[in-house]
Amino acid sequence: MTHIKRITTLAAATVLMLGLSACSNMSDRDRNTAIGAGAGGVAGSVLTGGSTTGTIGGAVVGGIIGNQIDKDKK
């Protein structure tokens, strides 16, 4: 069982590192959109008890809000 735990931990760490490196060339606006969508998806899932519709709706709303943050700063 310990061997499976190590493999799972290594796989999760690898996926996390690849995911973080994918954001390295994003603009601030793109990064805000992705962060907003992720946070909105989590919030929507929590507020609706894990419903798919709530998760997707939260991600959409969070992405829109994240996209509009600092829109006028240039």
Side-chain angles (χ1 to χ4, degrees):
M1 195 68 173
T2 305
H3 185 65
I4 293 174
K5 245 184 187 178
R6 285 185 187 175
I7 291 174
T8 304
T9 303
L10 179 62
T14 303
V15 168
L16 179 64
M17 293 304 288
L18 289 173
L20 290 175
S21 68
C23 297
S24 65
N25 62 349
M26 288 178 132
S27 70
D28 286 342
R29 193 167 190 185
D30 291 341
R31 197 171 300 121
N32 288 342
T33 302
I35 291 169
V42 169
S45 178
V46 168
L47 291 174
T48 61
S51 119
T52 304
T53 305
T55 304
I56 293 172
V60 169
V61 171
I64 291 170
I65 292 171
N67 184 274
Q68 297 302 310
I69 291 177
D70 294 335
K71 183 177 178 181
D72 295 329
K73 284 186 175 180
K74 280 196 174 189

